[in-house]
Amino acid sequence: MNIFRFLGDLSHLVSIWLLLHKMTTSKSCTGISFKTQALYALVFATRYLDLLYGSWHSMYNVAMKIFFIGSSLYILYLIKVPFKPTRDPAIDTFKLEYLVGGALIMSLIANYEYSFPEILWSFSIWLEAVAILPQLFIIQRTGEAENITTHYVAALGAYRGLYIPNWLYRYFAEGFFDPIAVIAGIIQTVIYLDFFYIYFTKVLKGQKFELP
Amino acid sequence: EKTPGQHDEL
């Protein structure tokens, strides 16, 4: 564990807290992509159910995995049950087939072993790389976003961004290099760049997130 | 070299 990875994981926790805070205080899920949230639940289920076959690295690791699986299911429940009337499915129209299909193909091409757990792990890595796209698509379509929603996306992007110095650190300090996680992680971070540009130039200067 | 099943990152 190094500082970049720890701050990244912390940022991931903050993002989930921001999302729950937005939904429970406004009692709505307006502007939130159910599809992105469903993809994250699938990412966590396919990556973290390795707990079931004994992949226990540390208490930290196990507790985080359980938290991410549990909170993602709770978020799906909130969107689908109590806040269902506030969701507008007509703007959440990104085609999931392409993302899931692409991740499936990538997991068969790029994995460390042709075994069920390894292909599942690789699938979750590639799927996570693109899971934010339906959410960014909603922001692009509506041309604006509530500030709290942009803070949520920014915290998620920061989590991914911080994993890059973590990999550099691990490569030089531990000789650890995981090419699949690194390549998918860089793709994932690049997807956030446009968003971050507007977030830094507008939202952090007190303006509303609006596309030009 | 990456060993399968040793994914310690989240």
Side-chain angles (χ1 to χ4, degrees):
Chain A
M1 177 62 68
N2 57 65
I3 188 71
F4 304 111
R5 198 165 143 202
F6 180 68
L7 289 177
D9 291 343
L10 211 59
S11 182
H12 197 181
L13 291 179
V14 167
S15 76
I16 290 171
W17 181 82
L18 283 167
L19 180 60
L20 287 171
H21 182 72
K22 176 233 158 24
M23 291 202 287
T24 50
T25 52
S26 69
K27 299 200 186 308
S28 96
C29 59
T30 307
I32 299 298
S33 168
F34 174 75
K35 290 187 171 180
T36 281
Q37 298 307 320
L39 289 181
Y40 281 130
L42 184 59
V43 164
F44 297 145
T46 49
R47 192 179 315 158
Y48 297 158
L49 285 180
D50 62 357
L51 289 171
L52 296 178
Y53 38 86
S55 186
W56 292 51
H57 296 281
S58 62
M59 270 314 289
Y60 171 85
N61 188 276
V62 171
M64 294 290 252
K65 286 177 174 177
I66 292 171
F67 174 79
F68 288 128
I69 293 174
S71 61
S72 65
L73 294 177
Y74 180 58
I75 288 164
L76 292 187
Y77 160 79
L78 286 180
I79 297 176
K80 272 294 175 185
V81 185
F83 304 143
K84 191 180 167 77
T86 62
R87 177 175 177 242
D88 181 4
I91 58 164
D92 194 10
T93 53
F94 200 95
K95 286 261 181 294
L96 289 191
E97 295 87 327
Y98 298 133
L99 302 182
V100 174
L104 196 63
I105 291 168
M106 285 309 291
S107 71
L108 295 172
I109 299 171
N111 59 59
Y112 293 118
E113 189 183 272
Y114 267 92
S115 65
F116 187 64
E118 283 300 310
I119 289 173
L120 217 55
W121 176 84
S122 177
F123 171 76
S124 80
I125 291 287
W126 293 108
L127 189 62
E128 187 191 348
V130 292
I132 197 66
L133 284 174
Q135 178 65 58
L136 294 177
F137 184 64
I138 285 189
I139 294 176
Q140 196 188 44
R141 249 187 104 147
T142 53
E144 58 173 33
E146 290 175 85
N147 279 351
I148 184 106
T149 305
T150 65
H151 296 325
Y152 159 68
V153 177
L156 259 186
Y159 146 61
R160 291 317 310 183
L162 283 161
Y163 260 60
I164 293 176
N166 157 56
W167 291 320
L168 285 169
Y169 178 88
R170 295 194 76 181
Y171 177 74
F172 290 110
E174 302 168 20
F176 170 93
F177 180 56
D178 182 336
I180 294 176
V182 170
I183 293 166
I186 290 172
I187 292 172
Q188 181 168 188
T189 307
V190 166
I191 288 173
Y192 283 91
L193 290 184
D194 254 10
F195 168 85
F196 267 120
Y197 177 75
I198 299 170
Y199 184 74
F200 283 123
T201 54
K202 285 199 169 175
V203 180
L204 290 187
K205 288 180 181 160
Q207 299 171 31
K208 191 175 162 55
F209 189 100
E210 271 177 322
L211 294 179
Chain B
E1 183 70 18
K2 186 92 190 85
T3 319
Q6 292 295 312
H7 308 297
D8 64 338
E9 292 183 341
L10 290 163

